[in-house]
Amino acid sequence: MLALSAGLIFCFCGFLGRLPKGVTVNGIDVGGKTRAEAARAVRESIVAELKTKSLTVRGTSDRVFTYPEIGYKDNLQQLLKNVEKGREYTAEVSYYLNGISEITAGICNDESRPVIEPYAAFNSSGEAFTYYEGCDGLKADRLKLLADIRASLSGDFCDVAVEVGTVPRTGNMSEVRYNTRLLSSYTTYFDGDNIPRSHNIRLAAERINGTVLDGGAAFSFNDIVGERTAARGFKKAKIIENGEFVEGTGGGVCQVSTTLFNAALRAGCQFTEYHAHSLAVSYVPPSCDAMVSGTYYDLKFVNTTGYRLYIRARTGSNYIRFDIYGRGDGAEYSYSSKVTGRIAAPEEITDDLSLVKEGKDGTLSEGYLTITRGGIKKTVLFRKDKYAPIKRIVAEIDETEAPQNGADN
């Protein structure tokens, strides 16, 4: 009896673990199968059908997704718990794209294009700027793509097209051109036959040419040009040292700093360091020069216009010119100087004709900056300078050797 009871219990439990006869799910006969077996059979059928499907997303290039990129969910676990003998059932199946967030983000990134606003490229040679119109941007609608993919997978797997909208440019070329207009220009001239000095001028100018200063940025002549040494390509030419014109490496570079000083002044820059020469120079009027020397005398200014400045240097056979471009601060700048006094040159008499020197009076001068803003003109004293005289050495005349009246001349 005990054995018979155990066998009946075992058969009854086995019967309870299997589905009733005549049960079909999605057209698959699962009667007599365990729930796990039935689920596996139905899912194999679902996967077999899914492998015949594909989702195509159309854009500049088509993207096709198939199983296993396309996955599915079903309700078989719950469905198989409550099946009845001889009944037909249909499982609920929903499809999804694995990694849909990352995939749609990547597709939209590929289909989109950033706005390129009109812009100007600064050139160190040729035309100062090359102007580009830019182009409108393109932006793919990611939220709609997500919705369309989900709708397609919930229906007949129809093709999905990426919808792309235009993002218009906000800038205009007239604004770009205004931001790169010529603000100031200044030219000085030199002796092109003086080869070493001309070389130094051109070398220093080349190192400054093409400099771009953002609003608020500072400029240092010594930082950009660097030390004036033979190792760095500079040659010997006349410099001012201890009140005399003597040979020195880098002679002529002060003409570059002077020319730039005048251009930057007229562009509205604010100077934090500049120095007058000890002696007046020939290439600019008094109070218009800007001497640099070693690492201790520099030319420094700050771009206070609030907009980017572009600096170009040009040298010809006998001239150097600086052009400064930008939007400017809305004011116009001009500069003038005047001589306010003379300093008589000391005189020395010598009987050695080889020591005779012409000499030159010294100069007192002032420089004035005129600012015109909104039609209102204001002139301010910008600087006062003192240029030392150069001693005259004249020959002593021996009256005993002077010709007498009636003598041959």
Side-chain angles (χ1 to χ4, degrees):
M1 290 296 293
L2 289 173
L4 179 60
S5 297
L8 290 172
I9 292 170
F10 177 80
C11 291
F12 182 71
C13 290
F15 174 78
L16 289 178
R18 294 185 178 277
L19 300 179
K21 296 293 183 179
V23 176
T24 63
V25 178
N26 290 10
I28 307 292
D29 184 2
V30 294
K33 297 180 182 292
T34 65
R35 285 199 294 269
E37 291 170 342
R40 184 163 51 250
V42 175
R43 284 173 177 155
E44 286 174 355
S45 173
I46 293 172
V47 170
E49 182 184 0
L50 180 54
K51 287 181 177 179
T52 68
K53 299 176 179 290
S54 64
L55 169 68
T56 300
V57 179
R58 301 200 178 279
T60 52
S61 61
D62 292 346
R63 301 161 179 85
V64 180
F65 301 94
T66 58
Y67 177 83
E69 295 169 299
I70 300 174
Y72 71 93
K73 295 178 182 178
D74 59 55
N75 67 337
L76 283 173
Q77 185 176 359
Q78 184 63 35
L79 177 66
L80 293 174
K81 286 180 180 179
N82 302 302
V83 295
E84 297 178 2
K85 182 179 178 179
R87 297 282 301 274
E88 295 180 357
Y89 296 90
T90 300
E92 294 178 4
V93 180
S94 60
Y95 302 100
Y96 60 88
L97 182 61
N98 285 300
I100 189 170
S101 293
E102 294 78 7
I103 288 172
T104 53
I107 291 173
C108 289
N109 183 65
D110 292 343
E111 297 293 326
S112 298
R113 181 182 70 197
V115 174
I116 300 177
E117 299 290 353
Y119 69 99
F122 184 42
N123 303 316
S124 58
S125 62
E127 292 294 326
F129 295 92
T130 303
Y131 293 94
Y132 298 91
E133 292 289 345
C135 64
D136 293 337
L138 298 174
K139 184 173 178 60
D141 190 334
R142 181 167 175 264
L143 293 179
K144 189 171 189 313
L145 180 60
L146 279 167
D148 289 348
I149 288 175
R150 286 171 176 148
S152 176
L153 295 177
S154 297
D156 57 0
F157 280 61
C158 62
D159 292 355
V160 172
V162 182
E163 289 200 9
V164 179
T166 300
V167 183
R169 287 161 284 181
T170 58
N172 60 77
M173 185 54 70
S174 61
E175 185 80 2
V176 174
R177 289 186 180 277
Y178 188 77
N179 288 342
T180 53
R181 65 194 179 100
L182 180 63
L183 295 176
S184 66
S185 183
Y186 199 82
T187 304
T188 61
Y189 297 88
F190 55 84
D191 179 7
D193 292 332
N194 186 335
I195 304 302
R197 191 173 187 278
S198 300
H199 167 83
N200 292 337
I201 289 173
R202 293 189 180 97
L203 182 57
E206 286 172 6
R207 292 181 176 171
I208 299 171
N209 183 38
T211 297
V212 178
L213 281 183
D214 287 329
F219 177 94
S220 164
F221 187 94
N222 285 344
D223 284 351
I224 291 182
V225 175
E227 286 189 88
R228 277 72 78 185
T229 63
R232 300 188 73 249
F234 290 92
K235 300 181 182 298
K236 286 192 174 184
K238 292 289 185 183
I239 62 172
I240 298 174
E241 189 174 277
N242 298 323
E244 298 282 344
F245 286 96
V246 298
E247 289 288 313
T249 303
V253 169
C254 287
Q255 185 163 350
V256 180
S257 58
T258 291
T259 310
L260 179 57
F261 166 81
N262 282 275
L265 191 62
R266 289 161 173 81
C269 293
Q270 180 177 324
F271 286 84
T272 56
E273 182 179 350
Y274 65 89
H275 305 274
H277 288 83
S278 58
L279 302 176
V281 294
S282 60
Y283 44 85
V284 288
S287 288
C288 293
D289 60 324
M291 178 267 292
V292 291
S293 180
T295 58
Y296 36 92
Y297 289 109
D298 201 355
L299 173 68
K300 295 180 179 180
F301 57 84
V302 178
N303 174 11
T304 53
T305 67
Y307 299 92
R308 184 171 290 178
L309 290 179
Y310 306 86
I311 302 174
R312 288 236 302 185
R314 286 289 172 273
T315 54
S317 60
N318 68 337
Y319 72 87
I320 174 172
R321 181 178 74 244
F322 277 100
D323 297 320
I324 299 182
Y325 301 83
R327 184 184 182 93
D329 62 3
E332 293 183 3
Y333 297 86
S334 60
Y335 186 74
S336 61
S337 68
K338 70 175 183 179
V339 173
T340 58
R342 296 286 183 186
I343 305 171
E347 192 170 282
E348 179 182 320
I349 298 175
T350 180
D351 57 3
D352 186 348
L353 294 180
S354 66
L355 298 178
V356 171
K357 188 166 63 176
E358 184 177 347
K360 186 179 181 181
D361 288 344
T363 303
L364 299 174
S365 62
E366 296 175 345
Y368 292 87
L369 181 65
T370 298
I371 307 165
T372 305
R373 190 187 301 274
I376 299 175
K377 184 179 293 188
K378 179 182 179 182
T379 299
V380 296
L381 175 64
F382 184 79
R383 58 188 278 188
K384 298 176 72 172
D385 299 295
K386 178 180 179 180
Y387 300 93
I390 299 175
K391 181 170 63 176
R392 294 186 181 90
I393 302 179
V394 297
E396 182 179 34
I397 299 176
D398 187 347
E399 293 183 356
T400 62
E401 297 181 3
Q404 302 297 318
N405 289 337
D408 292 337
N409 290 325

